[in-house]
Amino acid sequence: MNVKKVAVLGAGVMGAQIAAHLINARVPVMLFDLPAKEGPKNAIALKAIENLKKLSPAPFGVKDDAQYIEPANYDDDIEKLKECDLVIEAIAERMDWKHDLYKKVAPHIAPHAIFASNTSGLSITELSNGFSDELKSRFCGVHFFNPPRYMHLVELIPTASTKPEILDQLETFLTSVIGKGVVRAKDTPNFIANRVGVFSILAVIAEAEKFGLRFDEVDDLTGSRLGRAKSATFRTADVVGLDTMAHVIKTMQDNLPDDPFFAVYKTPPVLDALVKNGALGQKTGAGFYRKEGKAIKVLDPKTASYVEGGPKADELIGRILKRPPAERFKLLRETDNKQAQFLWAIFRDVFHYVAVHLESIADNARDVDLAIRWGFGWNQGPFESWQAAGWQQIAKWVQEDIDAGKALSNAPLPAWVLDGPVAEKSGVHTDEGSWSPAARRFEPRSTLPVYEKQVFRAPLVGETGADPKTYGKTLFETENVRAWLDDDQSDVVIVSFKSKMNTIGPGVIEGLTQAIELAEKEYRGVVIWQPTSLQLGAPGGPFSAGANLEEAMPAFMMGGAKGIEPFVKKFQQGMMRVKYANVPVVSAVSGIALGGGCELLLHSAKRVAHVESYIGLVEVGVGLVPAGGGLKEAALRAAEAASAVNATSDLLKFLQKSFENAAMAKVSSSAFDARAMGYLKPSDTIVFNVHELLDIAKKEARALSASGYRPPLRAKQVPVAGRSAISTIKASLVNMRDGRFISDHDYLIASRIAEAVCGGDVEAGSLVDEEWLLALERRAFVELLGTQKTQERIMGMLQTGKPVRN
């Protein structure tokens, strides 16, 4: 199905952000709302589009793309719905309002178009009441998570009447075009992720009260320590909005009267009081937390006042949580410590809940785990945690707690948990598939053709799926890199780094060079791709955090700043080897590509970037200049751009942006922003689903090879801007320094960057070669490394991971 145009009905927060993300994916969008009573008829949609530019985190990859959303209203533009292949309704969660809107729009929806509601919990079947049978067959739920640009999960909810091919078409579009992880949910209140995720929050609130724990204490216990979102429980609630959370809980109260956990769906009094007082979380400035000046205070429910942050996780808990899963759960359950008892209780409650409800809410256990991972940012879904810790033992303990009246419900665990195939296989996830209680079998993964592009699908504990660190045929492996083929017939060498954060040191350079030499003899290309791009919770690990400074420290200790020069020269030679390889070297980027990681991209034949790629030359943060050829490439590209419009006499104009990017350590906010900054070229490919990154990069390498790829000719005569341009830049830097906008050391670093991109102390228009430009970078790098202030910045970064400003 080719979705040429989409209509989004409702310009509220979610509708407008869904429209924005479709524009990110280059899908034309009409954003509908009611006609305004005053001013232009499209005023409501226009205001929503304007507000998108102010939101943080930013809904657009590039803010200026807001212009591409077409505002519309139901009076003047309803006929235009016929032009749309997909219509997504995203108005307020009121069944009556939705039905009124459907009556208005249904006659105008094209006969082939898919019609979907972005409801977060209303019944899709009830929403379709009153439709013709024909429209019912093309209607389903499509539940995006907030914010839609960044949240990987989309739930797809059919009714009994939805045609299977409609779901397949929509899943394919959502997966490949806009990069989502699609989970099919049953038509039950709040579907899968919100049903389980909000129950988990309610369980945390109930157990925290039982054990007398504070909100900030609970957040320290239930965030990254458990492999969950850093915002943990109560901060997450504040970010989502306490009114939204109260609404989701109310949906469960209203629609699940016979649920064995019904008592838990009572709105917690503390939440009720906050909502009544208008303290709705982040959007109103107060919720469970409130910012006062620079301090963040936490609510004390006893006094209803905000107090200073207090207790954190005990040291003992930190030690227990580092143990292997089976031992960890045993210790949590048996340790006489209220924090340990609390953690066992919240795990037990969720295990109990997902076991009881699996059959009613999802087709299989895989959909529950992926929904929670992608929708709530957990590294492992609840069934995965249970299986990793020993299925039978955990099941026995949970049932013992139910029998002892310690659980939140007295409903027993379903029979399939304790006996039969799941107990025999020690869990719900196996190589055959994931357990479906309704089908009484392990259901295999979807075989939709779109998934053929995903060499590595999201892994699950219990499956022995392909491990990207060992998969395929290893050509050679060192302690720094692995060079491999993804199958015996492959003609493209894949290189993956093994260093922390995929940093680049001499060992990585040697491995990369060896892989290029091998490819030049026997293969058609090289792809640089990192397995960390498939992080468990939310996809998009680091491509490379840059040069490995720790690896350079021994040389510095032995020979001072001059002792580092061979390290820098080797790095530069490695980048030049990438650039002038006789086979195309394609960098497959996701996450951060900083400093040397950015320079590696700049020297590649082509770049394939995941849309959430954050690219920049950030060496200023450690008091240095880029010295892996990044500034040299800026000078070359400026000369090329100037020559294309016969303006080589005004090179500074073409250098200005590159200078500012490096001097201010600017990092792109998306792959599209990286293109605007000049780090990606217009011809580079931007991919929306990180799981497709490797497949597309290999195809690009093959396409380059098939079209007779030759490396660029070595640049011998590059016109540079010279000393007059350096003086112009320095004049503006002096003003910034004297106005105390930058420090003296910032001034020194920025001056060295200016000298390198402008070609040094030569006349404007002088012709130099690449080696000259590389030597300028090297000299500036070594000179700065010899200063005390740069050494302070490096030590600060190595010790704290944060830039030092001095």
Side-chain angles (χ1 to χ4, degrees):
M1 181 192 185
N2 184 5
V3 176
K4 297 183 284 297
K5 194 170 194 180
V6 176
V8 177
L9 312 181
V13 176
M14 275 306 276
Q17 288 196 78
I18 290 167
H21 191 57
L22 286 160
I23 290 295
N24 287 337
R26 300 306 184 246
V27 179
V29 179
M30 297 181 75
L31 181 61
F32 277 83
D33 212 301
L34 297 165
K37 294 188 170 68
E38 293 170 12
K41 287 280 253 327
N42 286 334
I44 296 173
L46 284 164
K47 186 178 179 194
I49 294 166
E50 204 49 43
N51 284 343
L52 285 169
K53 298 180 195 172
K54 301 171 196 159
L55 281 185
S56 177
F60 291 107
V62 174
K63 200 182 283 185
D64 290 348
D65 284 353
Q67 63 179 309
Y68 296 114
I69 298 180
E70 187 183 336
N73 70 80
Y74 302 116
D75 278 5
D76 299 343
D77 305 303
I78 202 157
E79 284 293 325
K80 293 184 183 169
L81 284 174
K82 286 191 169 61
E83 302 165 12
C84 300
D85 306 295
L86 171 61
V87 177
I88 299 172
E89 169 273 306
I91 68 167
E93 293 288 86
R94 284 266 306 262
M95 187 74 75
D96 52 341
W97 291 0
K98 289 182 190 280
H99 276 144
D100 288 346
L101 176 62
Y102 295 173
K103 282 191 196 100
K104 190 186 294 184
V105 300
H108 304 279
I109 293 172
H112 71 281
I114 297 174
F115 187 25
S117 172
N118 180 57
T119 176
S120 59
L122 296 178
S123 163
I124 305 300
T125 302
E126 276 186 57
L127 286 172
S128 71
N129 284 347
F131 287 3
S132 68
D133 288 348
E134 202 279 323
L135 184 55
K136 267 186 186 175
S137 72
R138 294 183 280 120
F139 182 73
C140 63
V142 56
H143 180 212
F144 286 83
F145 274 63
N146 192 16
R149 172 182 162 189
Y150 303 94
M151 296 303 288
H152 192 58
L153 177 65
V154 173
E155 290 175 316
L156 207 51
I157 311 99
T159 71
S161 310
T162 312
K163 278 190 206 154
E165 60 266 32
I166 289 289
L167 295 170
D168 291 350
Q169 288 170 353
L170 192 48
E171 181 166 347
T172 299
F173 170 76
L174 292 166
T175 301
S176 206
V177 179
I178 58 172
K180 295 303 172 193
V182 176
V183 163
R184 296 199 185 184
K186 291 190 177 177
D187 189 11
T188 54
N190 295 333
F191 315 126
I192 299 174
N194 275 343
R195 177 79 174 269
V196 176
V198 170
F199 170 80
S200 167
I201 291 171
L202 289 169
V204 166
I205 294 172
E207 301 291 2
E209 196 176 338
K210 195 187 294 177
F211 289 101
L213 304 181
R214 289 167 42 127
F215 299 137
D216 51 344
E217 186 178 1
V218 167
D219 274 355
D220 191 52
L221 286 162
T222 60
S224 41
R225 289 176 189 278
L226 298 187
R228 298 182 183 176
K230 239 196 272 185
S231 52
T233 304
F234 295 105
R235 276 186 205 282
T236 298
D238 274 359
V239 171
V240 168
L242 302 189
D243 51 342
T244 305
M245 199 175 133
H247 171 79
V248 174
I249 296 168
K250 179 92 167 53
T251 304
M252 287 154 93
Q253 288 166 11
D254 293 348
N255 295 288
L256 296 166
D258 302 325
D259 190 312
F261 290 84
F262 182 74
V264 186
Y265 303 153
K266 184 173 179 289
T267 307
V270 63
L271 179 64
D272 200 33
L274 285 168
V275 172
K276 281 186 176 137
N277 292 332
L280 307 180
Q282 197 169 284
K283 58 188 165 190
T284 60
F288 288 107
Y289 293 90
R290 185 170 77 190
K291 199 168 180 190
E292 294 182 13
K294 288 195 173 168
I296 293 174
K297 295 194 169 179
V298 63
L299 181 70
D300 177 356
K302 293 191 189 80
T303 61
S305 60
Y306 289 89
V307 297
E308 298 290 339
K312 295 270 197 319
D314 294 349
E315 205 179 308
L316 168 72
I317 301 298
R319 289 202 301 274
I320 290 175
L321 292 176
K322 289 192 171 86
R323 307 304 300 163
E327 193 182 334
R328 184 189 320 149
F329 279 104
K330 185 175 192 299
L331 288 168
L332 288 176
R333 187 168 187 265
E334 294 173 2
T335 301
D336 186 20
N337 169 297
K338 66 179 182 177
Q339 290 184 351
Q341 293 287 302
F342 161 77
L343 286 173
W344 160 251
I346 63 169
F347 274 107
R348 174 205 63 220
D349 294 340
V350 173
F351 294 160
H352 186 191
Y353 191 80
V354 292
V356 167
H357 287 298
L358 172 58
E359 184 165 356
S360 65
I361 65 172
D363 290 332
N364 59 66
R366 175 177 55 247
D367 289 341
V368 171
D369 279 347
L370 292 179
I372 290 297
R373 269 168 38 182
W374 294 339
F376 279 79
W378 296 16
N379 278 356
Q380 283 188 344
F383 284 118
E384 290 183 284
S385 297
W386 182 347
Q387 186 159 339
W391 184 267
Q392 288 94 331
Q393 180 62 75
I394 295 286
K396 183 169 167 285
W397 285 338
V398 172
Q399 190 57 56
E400 279 173 16
D401 277 13
I402 297 168
D403 295 341
K406 292 180 181 174
L408 295 178
S409 161
N410 59 9
L413 288 174
W416 62 261
V417 171
L418 305 159
D419 298 302
V422 171
E424 286 157 24
K425 297 265 188 180
S426 298
V428 289
H429 303 306
T430 68
D431 290 338
E432 297 160 56
S434 294
W435 183 250
S436 165
R440 291 207 53 74
R441 70 186 186 106
F442 295 99
E443 292 278 5
R445 295 211 179 206
S446 166
T447 54
L448 275 179
V450 69
Y451 294 113
E452 288 168 15
K453 289 193 276 187
Q454 298 192 8
V455 186
F456 303 102
R457 292 176 69 173
L460 285 162
V461 168
E463 280 184 346
T464 50
D467 179 350
K469 293 182 177 169
T470 55
Y471 179 76
K473 177 185 174 185
T474 300
L475 298 171
F476 69 84
E477 188 163 8
T478 68
E479 64 180 277
N480 300 289
V481 304
R482 176 177 176 241
W484 53 286
L485 306 174
D486 62 352
D487 61 56
D488 287 340
Q489 275 71 53
S490 186
D491 48 9
V492 174
V493 178
I494 303 161
V495 181
S496 301
F497 302 169
K498 293 162 65 181
S499 48
K500 187 181 176 188
M501 298 289 282
N502 301 323
T503 50
I504 306 169
V508 167
I509 295 286
E510 280 162 21
L512 188 51
T513 304
Q514 188 182 339
I516 290 169
E517 284 167 1
L518 181 63
E520 285 173 338
K521 286 187 197 128
E522 298 177 41
Y523 298 97
R524 292 176 65 180
V526 173
V527 165
I528 303 166
W529 175 83
Q530 314 298 10
T532 45
S533 63
L534 305 177
Q535 281 178 320
L536 292 185
F543 173 75
S544 172
N548 189 333
L549 288 176
E550 285 183 67
E551 222 175 302
M553 287 322 269
F556 177 68
M557 304 309 277
M558 297 272 294
K562 281 302 266 184
I564 292 284
E565 191 158 1
F567 175 93
V568 181
K569 194 158 193 178
K570 182 162 191 171
F571 198 105
Q572 291 180 339
Q573 285 165 345
M575 296 301 109
M576 294 291 273
R577 188 70 182 90
V578 167
K579 181 173 182 176
Y580 293 111
N582 284 308
V583 291
V585 178
V586 175
S587 283
V589 193
S590 82
I592 56 170
L594 303 178
C598 174
E599 289 171 314
L600 178 52
L601 305 187
L602 292 173
H603 288 85
S604 299
K606 186 157 193 179
R607 290 138 291 275
V608 176
H610 180 235
V611 66
E612 299 304 334
S613 292
Y614 311 113
I615 302 171
L617 296 170
V618 296
E619 285 81 355
V620 172
V622 285
L624 294 167
V625 300
L631 301 179
K632 177 260 301 177
E633 285 298 304
L636 293 183
R637 289 181 184 195
E640 198 180 317
S643 134
V645 291
N646 291 323
T648 44
S649 57
D650 191 12
L651 275 167
L652 180 56
K653 191 166 74 179
F654 297 90
L655 280 168
Q656 195 71 39
K657 186 162 66 172
S658 297
F659 166 73
E660 284 174 12
N661 288 343
M664 295 166 74
K666 285 185 181 174
V667 176
S668 72
S669 57
S670 69
F672 289 109
D673 190 33
R675 187 181 273 171
M677 291 169 75
Y679 291 135
L680 297 181
K681 291 186 173 179
S683 56
D684 289 332
T685 304
I686 294 175
V687 172
F688 272 70
N689 196 315
V690 77
H691 293 277
E692 295 180 2
L693 192 62
L694 177 56
D695 180 69
I696 291 168
K698 286 189 309 171
K699 284 173 180 162
E700 293 284 8
R702 285 195 188 104
L704 285 169
S705 172
S707 59
Y709 177 78
R710 300 292 303 164
L713 295 169
R714 287 184 183 262
K716 300 282 188 195
Q717 296 194 312
V718 184
V720 290
R723 65 174 75 91
S724 55
I726 297 169
S727 301
T728 306
I729 294 173
K730 281 188 178 176
S732 65
L733 290 173
V734 165
N735 291 336
M736 290 176 77
R737 182 192 64 194
D738 293 351
R740 307 317 298 160
F741 295 108
I742 60 174
S743 69
D744 289 345
H745 199 56
D746 289 329
Y747 170 80
L748 176 65
I749 301 162
S751 299
R752 293 294 173 269
I753 291 172
E755 287 158 12
V757 293
C758 294
D761 187 15
V762 294
E763 287 295 324
S766 296
L767 299 175
V768 302
D769 62 10
E770 283 184 274
E771 288 305 327
W772 171 272
L773 293 166
L774 288 171
L776 289 173
E777 284 186 11
R778 257 192 334 270
R779 193 182 320 143
F781 187 94
V782 171
E783 182 193 318
L784 285 165
L785 190 56
T787 65
Q788 187 185 338
K789 284 198 163 22
T790 284
Q791 290 166 21
E792 285 168 6
R793 288 192 184 190
I794 291 171
M795 290 317 293
M797 179 64 84
L798 290 175
Q799 283 163 7
T800 67
K802 291 181 181 151
V804 173
R805 281 280 165 243
N806 56 2

